[in-house]
């Protein structure tokens, strides 16, 4: 069962000097992607700011960090060109797959480096960025993050955020609402003329945290033609206090709820590999077929194929070409 994963944070490891072909710890490595039957892996340039920058020992400005991380991503693609290639469209993902290559799709987590300038979106596009999470955990020029504070969570997109969504639609960059405030989410749903996605989020029905989506939000993503990639973090899936373990069963529960609420075209995979600390039943990307088998048992082979790759591929085709 081929896998398309909408989010990982492995570029942070490239930034620190690690090499994709040599990674044996963490969640992602070249040989393990192959073993897990990866068709396409979305690699996010997560830009650490505030306390996150301190925690990760990042002293560069967000703009400097983005450029350094981008260069590290390019370096790893060049080193692994016989196995994985950059894809800028769904058509390229399919062409790479037919030729025996895996695909790497470049995304950005936190539009902080857009800094209120639409021309920076054009630069993103030229670099191959095909999905942007508008915010991370801090306010930026586009809008506000999800929050446990109800009043802050109602804050919508700023004027630049509205303009950025419109420009992303024009360019063919997917709008990612994971991490975005609920007010911002509904602004995206109102403004976007193309499908939008939540690359790594789960269902509030099972785990009532700000980062998860309500049933109304799930329906809105589905009505746009977008997808929600289930996050593999245990504390997104269930109350993980004292037991940060992610089972196939819990992932399947959230996928089933997404399908029941938004239809079979909605659920997808958005692991958050190398950005979470949970222990997964299937261990890492190399064990993805264990999870795929659990999805097949719940949904049957045809619908499981939609979850594992088909829905994401369709949404990307409709958004980025």
């Amino acid at each position: 069962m081929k896998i398309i994963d909408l989010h990982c944070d492995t570029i942070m490891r490239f930034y620190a000097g690690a090499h994709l072909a040599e990674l044996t710890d963490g969640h992602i490595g070249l040989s393990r992607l192959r073993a897990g039957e990866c068709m396409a892996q979305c690699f996010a340039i997560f830009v650490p700011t505030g306390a996150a920058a301190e925690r990760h020992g990042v002293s560069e400005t967000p703009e400097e960090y983005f450029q350094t991380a981008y260069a590290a991503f390019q370096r790893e693609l060049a080193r692994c060109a016989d196995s994985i290639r950059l894809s800028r469209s769904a058509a390229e993902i399919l062409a790479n797959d037919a030729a025996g290559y895996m695909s790497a799709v470049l995304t950005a987590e936190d539009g902080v480096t857009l800094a209120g300038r639409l021309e920076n979106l054009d630069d993103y596009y030229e670099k191959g960025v095909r999905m942007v999470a508008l915010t991370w955990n801090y306010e930026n020029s586009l809008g506000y993050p999800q929050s446990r504070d109800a009043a802050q969570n109602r804050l919508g997109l700023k004027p630049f955020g509205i303009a950025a969504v419109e420009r992303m639609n024009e360019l063919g960059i997917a709008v990612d609402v994971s991490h975005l405030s609920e007010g911002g989410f509904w602004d995206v749903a109102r403004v976007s003329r193309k499908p939008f996605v939540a690359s790594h989020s789960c269902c509030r029905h099972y785990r009532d945290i700000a980062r998860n989506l309500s049933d109304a939000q799930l329906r809105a993503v589905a009505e746009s033609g977008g997808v929600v990639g289930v996050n593999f973090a245990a504390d997104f899936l269930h109350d993980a206090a004292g037991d940060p373990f992610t089972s196939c069963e819990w992932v399947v529960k959230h996928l089933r709820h997404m399908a029941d609420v938004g239809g079979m075209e909605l659920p997808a995979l958005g692991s958050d590999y190398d950005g979470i600390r949970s222990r997964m039943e299937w261990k890492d990307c190399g064990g993805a077929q264990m999870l795929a088998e659990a999805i097949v048992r719940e949904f049957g082979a045809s619908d499981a194929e939609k979850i594992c790759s088909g829905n994401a591929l369709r949404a990307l085709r409709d958004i980025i070409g």
Side-chain angles (χ1 to χ4, degrees):
M1 184 73 65
K2 293 178 180 179
I3 302 293
I4 294 180
D5 177 14
L6 292 172
H7 185 83
C8 79
D9 286 314
T10 311
I11 287 178
M12 291 196 76
R13 306 200 67 194
F14 303 160
Y15 174 91
H19 298 303
L20 181 61
E22 298 169 7
L23 281 171
T24 57
D25 60 346
H27 297 136
I28 284 184
L30 188 64
S31 62
R32 286 175 288 161
L33 285 170
R34 181 71 73 189
E37 299 187 30
C38 172
M39 184 181 190
Q41 176 65 56
C42 293
F43 288 90
I45 297 181
F46 163 58
V47 182
T49 54
E54 294 179 16
R55 186 169 63 251
H56 291 289
V58 173
S59 59
E60 292 182 298
T61 67
E63 292 77 12
E64 291 168 342
Y65 178 91
F66 187 95
Q67 296 298 336
T68 305
Y70 175 72
F73 174 70
Q74 293 289 95
R75 177 198 74 211
E76 292 310 304
L77 287 184
R79 287 171 62 98
C80 301
D82 59 344
S83 296
I84 188 167
R85 294 184 172 181
L86 180 68
S87 289
R88 299 177 180 85
S89 67
E92 287 186 357
I93 292 173
L94 289 171
N96 283 343
D97 184 60
Y101 297 99
M102 297 180 288
S103 287
V105 179
L106 182 60
T107 75
E109 185 174 26
D110 192 347
V112 62
T113 62
L114 295 177
R117 297 190 293 272
L118 286 178
E119 58 267 29
N120 287 347
L121 269 174
D122 294 70
D123 182 61
Y124 270 17
Y125 188 82
E126 289 302 312
K127 283 181 165 62
V129 173
R130 291 298 181 267
M131 185 190 306
V132 176
L134 302 184
T135 60
W136 187 61
N137 289 350
Y138 301 104
E139 176 186 351
N140 63 22
S141 64
L142 296 100
Y144 304 87
Q146 83 296 325
S147 175
R148 295 182 180 89
D149 180 272
Q152 180 164 326
N153 209 34
R154 286 194 294 269
L155 294 173
L157 293 179
K158 297 178 180 181
F160 175 69
I162 298 292
V165 169
E166 294 172 341
R167 183 59 178 153
M168 289 165 71
N169 284 174
E170 293 170 357
L171 288 169
I173 298 175
V175 178
D176 182 1
V177 297
S178 285
H179 286 285
L180 187 61
S181 67
E182 193 157 347
F185 174 99
W186 290 113
D187 281 341
V188 169
R190 174 177 58 84
V191 170
S192 184
R193 294 177 289 100
K194 286 188 174 182
F196 62 96
V197 308
S199 67
H200 56 302
S201 298
C202 294
C203 304
R204 203 173 294 174
H205 173 81
Y206 282 119
R207 182 72 169 125
D208 189 6
I209 59 173
R211 275 280 282 107
N212 283 347
L213 301 181
S214 68
D215 286 2
Q217 288 176 301
L218 293 174
R219 282 190 288 270
V221 178
E223 287 167 4
S224 82
V227 292
V228 177
V230 66
N231 192 314
F232 296 164
D235 58 344
F236 281 42
L237 297 163
H238 60 90
D239 183 355
D243 185 22
F245 178 70
T246 297
S247 66
C248 294
E249 178 185 9
W250 268 110
V251 172
V252 169
K253 279 185 178 182
H254 282 255
L255 292 169
R256 169 52 70 189
H257 187 73
M258 290 177 189
D260 288 348
V261 170
M264 203 58 243
E265 309 300 313
L266 176 65
L269 303 178
S271 68
D272 209 358
Y273 283 144
D274 288 327
I276 57 176
R277 298 180 180 178
S278 304
R279 295 178 296 105
M280 286 164 286
E281 184 176 358
W282 59 96
K283 188 177 178 182
D284 55 32
C285 71
Q289 292 308 303
M290 176 189 288
L291 176 60
E293 289 166 7
I295 297 171
V296 170
R297 287 194 295 272
E298 172 67 23
F299 291 93
S302 179
D303 284 343
E305 186 276 333
K306 290 182 179 181
I307 292 169
C308 290
S309 63
N311 288 343
L313 190 65
R314 170 193 49 78
L316 290 173
R317 182 197 65 221
D318 292 346
I319 302 166
I320 71 175

